Amino acid sequence: MTLSLTVSDEVRALAPGFTHLAIEAHGLVNGPGTEESSDLLDDAARRLAARLDGRAPHEDPHMTAWRAAYTAFGSKPSRTRNSAEALARRALSDAGLPRVNLLVDLYNAVSVAHLIPVGGEDIDRIQGGMRLVRAAGDEDFVTVAGGEETVEHPDAGEVVWRDDAGVTCRRWNWRQGPRTRLTEETVSGIFLLEGMSPLPVAELEAAGAELAQLLEKFSPGARIDVRAAESAG
């Protein structure tokens, strides 16, 4: 069964330049990162540096558009950066990119190389469909703070991804909750690539094709469905 993904009219009105592409995959094999996946992350950092050519990540037109969208729903983009900008800053730092697990490393590499926010969720942990909405402010966001599970609530009007159980990612793609994240036990995942005008749809689709190829390579035999990019406009 295909997982449903919907974008609310309120989000469409807020960011008419928003486009997303989803990849649904079943029969995945996850586990610790490998030397090969680590090399992909290093290569992505090199590709990013070439793309930016000395500019800071936030100076890229795509990241500038994401900052404008964050400002539009009341978030401070220099404090709560979209996932691609945050990863890009790490990629260019002495610390470099984190190594999480195989599947996360693959989508992080694509995110950094293309400077596009990319996220992954475990389909078996999602309750109902996923919806991109502006929060009422009373939704539950289960996260971990100081090693302890805690429940937060988004700000009213904040753009969030949610399912029937609560928020899965705050501030659009800023912070994912642990409930639905990809773990080493994950076998079915939904990968979401998010673009904002002026990013060409063709660039979003190229990043999606690259991620699909990587998933096929590292999970031979997996059933992978790349959905057509959908615009919010």
Side-chain angles (χ1 to χ4, degrees):
M1 187 174 72
T2 300
L3 180 75
S4 68
L5 293 169
T6 57
V7 178
S8 73
D9 290 341
E10 291 80 9
V11 173
R12 293 177 185 275
L14 177 79
F18 174 62
T19 308
H20 67 281
L21 182 151
I23 301 172
E24 186 167 337
H26 299 272
L28 294 168
V29 178
N30 201 10
T34 64
E35 183 176 348
E36 190 172 4
S37 64
S38 183
D39 288 344
L40 285 171
L41 289 167
D42 290 338
D43 181 62
R46 289 189 289 269
R47 291 166 65 185
L48 172 69
R51 173 186 291 266
L52 291 173
D53 193 24
R55 294 173 299 162
H58 71 268
E59 295 176 303
D60 179 87
H62 188 212
M63 294 299 95
T64 299
W66 272 106
R67 284 191 166 216
Y70 270 50
T71 300
F73 67 79
S75 182
K76 294 182 178 179
S78 60
R79 182 178 299 171
T80 54
R81 297 177 175 87
N82 74 79
S83 65
E85 184 183 333
L87 269 181
R89 284 168 58 90
R90 291 196 65 171
L92 298 173
S93 72
D94 291 339
L97 287 166
R99 272 61 173 168
V100 182
N101 60 51
L102 181 59
L103 291 176
V104 174
D105 291 353
L106 294 183
Y107 78 67
N108 278 349
V110 171
S111 175
V112 169
H114 291 268
L115 202 54
I116 291 173
V118 183
E121 307 276 3
D122 188 322
I123 289 176
D124 294 328
R125 295 168 179 259
I126 295 170
Q127 298 187 33
M130 290 183 61
R131 309 185 293 281
L132 187 66
V133 301
R134 300 197 70 176
D138 58 357
E139 298 91 345
D140 286 346
F141 177 69
V142 180
T143 186
V144 176
E148 298 291 331
E149 185 176 287
T150 184
V151 177
E152 298 177 356
H153 304 285
D155 299 326
E158 181 182 324
V159 175
V160 298
W161 279 103
R162 66 159 302 164
D163 65 1
D164 290 350
V167 174
T168 57
C169 195
R170 286 198 59 188
R171 296 193 177 122
W172 214 313
N173 49 46
W174 166 65
R175 179 188 290 171
Q176 182 187 34
R179 173 170 62 87
T180 56
R181 67 186 174 192
L182 302 177
T183 69
E184 293 187 14
E185 288 72 48
T186 296
V187 294
S188 295
I190 187 82
F191 300 86
L192 191 66
L193 295 81
E194 300 180 294
M196 199 73 70
S197 179
L199 181 80
V201 171
E203 176 70 10
L204 190 72
E205 292 173 338
E210 184 175 333
L211 179 54
Q213 289 170 0
L214 289 172
L215 294 173
E216 290 170 354
K217 177 179 180 179
F218 285 87
S219 293
R223 304 187 309 281
I224 298 170
D225 175 37
V226 181
R227 305 184 196 176
E230 296 184 22
S231 173

